[in-house]
Amino acid sequence: FSSPCFESRGIQASEKDKLKQRIVKRLGYLPLAVKLAGAQLRRENPEEWLRSFAIHRLKAKRASIDNVHDSLEWTFNHSLKVLDAKTRFLYVALAIFKEDEAILQNGIKRLWQGLDGLDSNETTALLHDLAARALLQIDISGKIELHDLLREFIGAELKDKFVETHQALLMAYRTSWCGVGWHTADDDGYLYDHLAYHLY
């Protein structure tokens, strides 16, 4: 990964390579953790990042902190802690969407509209920001993909708010009814294929 923080500190190429190798090694060579770290290091000083990681290891109560999963969890939490509370909740709310399936942006737009009143442009901008942080991916068709492990983490954070988050999505879709009943809602390409899932 490349980082403006490496250049701004005047770190020589050989030192930069060694620093990158140390970071990758600390992360157990796990591709997802490295990807998250790469996004973080575009905004953070790499030496400070390493120090934070080392402090976490010292504070950890479990002896297994060198475990790959622990490194990934720390890296993921490090990405989340820089998000404001609203953005963090909107991101975590994505856990309600079906697993093993790319998410149509229309579904996310409706969810975030229901949770926080975001309009289409605000939703698009936020999705691109989260993609730049490696917290999700936007495929060539514009669909949103969440890595299984990231979905597991946000699902754990959403905890007992799953039902009310599904309800917020459904209530947002109800505003599109032009009569009485779900069959009168706008067909946006997402709702009718997933309505039963969200109702259940």
Side-chain angles (χ1 to χ4, degrees), residues 21-70:
Q21 288 170 7
R22 282 175 59 202
I23 291 169
V24 170
K25 184 177 179 181
R26 288 282 179 95
L27 295 173
Y29 304 98
L30 186 69
L32 179 57
V34 172
K35 186 175 181 180
L36 287 167
Q40 293 164 13
L41 291 168
R42 284 196 286 273
R43 298 174 173 86
E44 297 180 44
N45 177 284
E47 290 149 334
E48 288 295 324
W49 188 97
L50 270 172
R51 269 195 286 278
S52 295
F53 188 86
I55 289 168
H56 168 74
R57 291 181 66 194
L58 288 172
K59 288 181 177 177
K61 294 176 182 175
R62 289 178 294 167
S64 62
I65 194 60
D66 285 322
N67 180 281
V68 166
H69 188 273
D70 292 325

Side-chain angles (χ1 to χ4, degrees), residues 9-25:
R9 297 278 295 176
I11 300 172
Q12 298 298 318
S14 60
E15 292 177 43
K16 185 167 47 171
D17 289 339
K18 287 178 184 175
L19 201 50
K20 287 179 183 179
Q21 288 170 7
R22 282 175 59 202
I23 291 169
V24 170
K25 184 177 179 181

Side-chain angles (χ1 to χ4, degrees), residues 4 44 48 60-61 70-71 74 89 93 105 110 115 134 158-159:
E44 297 180 44
E48 288 295 324
K61 294 176 182 175
D70 292 325
S71 296
W74 180 86
F89 177 67
Q105 287 195 33
R110 196 65 73 159
L115 289 174
L158 192 60
K159 292 179 186 172

Side-chain angles (χ1 to χ4, degrees), residues 86 89-94 96 108-118 158 161 164-169 172:
K86 179 185 86 170
F89 177 67
L90 292 176
Y91 172 64
V92 166
L94 298 179
I96 69 164
I108 296 173
K109 287 175 182 177
R110 196 65 73 159
L111 173 64
W112 288 354
Q113 176 192 24
L115 289 174
D116 201 61
L118 267 66
L158 192 60
K161 293 187 177 178
E164 70 181 73
T165 307
H166 279 286
Q167 289 172 337
L169 174 65

